[in-house]
């Protein structure tokens, strides 16, 4: 089955700096890679996702890159703010039309943005 | 548009008891999946239902079971509870073919 590794497990950056979280996956059939942000005591929330037919996607201060050959994808947060502090999870799955899929999650990265 | 609703939010049970958790997906979503979240193991996949059929199952013992009804609402059952079952149980719904999984707020189960 799919295995997703995520690094680093903790990351501390100063406000305004950039943060990068990296994930690798094992199943070459995986074609959908979402990122979730989970604040303390709250549900994981989808912040950005990327499909295997594109190499990069950006949404304001957040971007995700995908390297299918190397089987890794990364989350980039620029101009970090204190409200970016949370645990971030990457995930991978194979989407097939009309069928169900399961998300395999990385182990999470605790991001702390300091003033 | 209502989000994913999980009930109850909190639950305290005794070892050996059984528990049923409920998840109502976003209207129109046919896929419901369940995850167990613990500090040590992270987010672990339990099972997924699509149109009332279990399509995928994770590596959990048979004490963990679930079902999905014709209105896409799903229930998860854990029998003979063990202390190690204490966790946050999350469900996520999606259209089933386009990704975009949305999570509910979870049920925090404590087994004493």
């Amino acid at each position: 089955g799919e295995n997703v590794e995520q690094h680093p497990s903790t990351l501390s950056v100063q406000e305004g700096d950039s943060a990068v979280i990296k994930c690798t996956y094992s199943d070459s059939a995986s074609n959908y890679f979402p990122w979730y942000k989970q604040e303390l005591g709250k549900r994981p929330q989808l912040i950005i996702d990327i499909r295997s037919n594109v190499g990069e996607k950006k949404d304001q201060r957040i971007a995700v890159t995908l390297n299918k050959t190397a089987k890794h994808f990364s989350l980039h947060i620029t101009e970090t703010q204190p409200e970016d502090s949370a645990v971030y999870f990457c995930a991978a799955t194979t989407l097939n039309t009309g069928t169900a899929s399961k998300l395999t999650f990385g182990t999470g990265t605790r991001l702390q943005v300091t003033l | 548009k209502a989000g994913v609703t999980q009930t109850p939010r909190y639950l305290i049970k005794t070892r050996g008891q059984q528990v049923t958790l409920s998840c109502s997906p976003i209207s129109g979503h046919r896929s419901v999946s369940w995850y167990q979240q613990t500090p040590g193991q992270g987010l672990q996949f339990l099972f997924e239902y699509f149109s009332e059929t279990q399509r995928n199952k994770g590596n959990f013992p048979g004490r963990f079971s679930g079902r999905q009804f014709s209105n896409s609402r799903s229930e998860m059952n854990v029998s003979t509870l063990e202390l190690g079952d204490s966790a946050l149980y999350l469900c996520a719904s999606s259209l089933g073919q386009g990704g975009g999984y949305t999570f509910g707020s979870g049920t925090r189960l404590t087994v004493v």
Side-chain angles (χ1 to χ4, degrees), chain B residues 4-13 18-24 34 73-76 87-91 104-110:
Chain B
V4 180
T5 304
Q6 289 188 248
T7 57
R9 289 295 308 278
Y10 302 93
L11 209 48
I12 300 176
K13 289 287 188 178
Q18 74 165 18
V19 66
T20 299
L21 313 181
S22 178
C23 173
S24 293
W34 290 87
R73 188 178 71 86
S74 177
E75 286 183 348
M76 181 189 125
L88 179 66
Y89 290 89
L90 293 158
C91 82
S105 295
T107 294
R108 184 162 297 281
L109 171 66
T110 302

Side-chain angles (χ1 to χ4, degrees), chain A residues 32 36 38 43-44 46 49 51 89 93 95-103 105, chain B residues 4 35 37 43 45 48 50 55-56 88 90 96-101 103-105:
Chain A
Y32 176 67
Y36 286 85
Q38 188 175 28
R43 73 185 77 188
L46 179 68
D49 56 14
R51 296 169 196 269
F89 292 95
T93 190
L95 294 181
N96 295 303
T97 301
T99 63
S101 304
K102 69 173 189 179
L103 286 170
F105 284 90
Chain B
V4 180
Y35 295 84
Q37 186 173 30
L43 280 154
F45 172 78
E48 178 167 21
F50 183 81
R55 296 297 185 105
N56 274 299
L88 179 66
L90 293 158
Q97 55 186 314
Y101 298 85
F103 281 88
S105 295

Side-chain angles (χ1 to χ4, degrees), chain B residues 58-77:
Chain B
N59 296 322
F60 279 80
R63 300 185 296 106
F64 291 81
S65 63
R67 58 178 175 168
Q68 187 180 34
F69 302 94
S70 59
N71 62 358
S72 293
R73 188 178 71 86
S74 177
E75 286 183 348
M76 181 189 125
N77 185 275

Side-chain angles (χ1 to χ4, degrees), chain A residues 31-50:
Chain A
N31 58 9
Y32 176 67
F33 308 91
W35 286 87
Y36 286 85
K37 174 184 179 182
Q38 188 175 28
E39 297 176 75
L40 191 61
K42 297 190 176 180
R43 73 185 77 188
Q45 291 200 303
L46 179 68
I47 56 171
I48 196 167
D49 56 14
I50 191 167

Side-chain angles (χ1 to χ4, degrees), chain A residues 44-60:
Chain A
Q45 291 200 303
L46 179 68
I47 56 171
I48 196 167
D49 56 14
I50 191 167
R51 296 169 196 269
S52 59
N53 57 347
V54 299
E56 185 173 0
K57 184 176 178 180
K58 191 173 181 181
D59 183 4
Q60 299 183 334

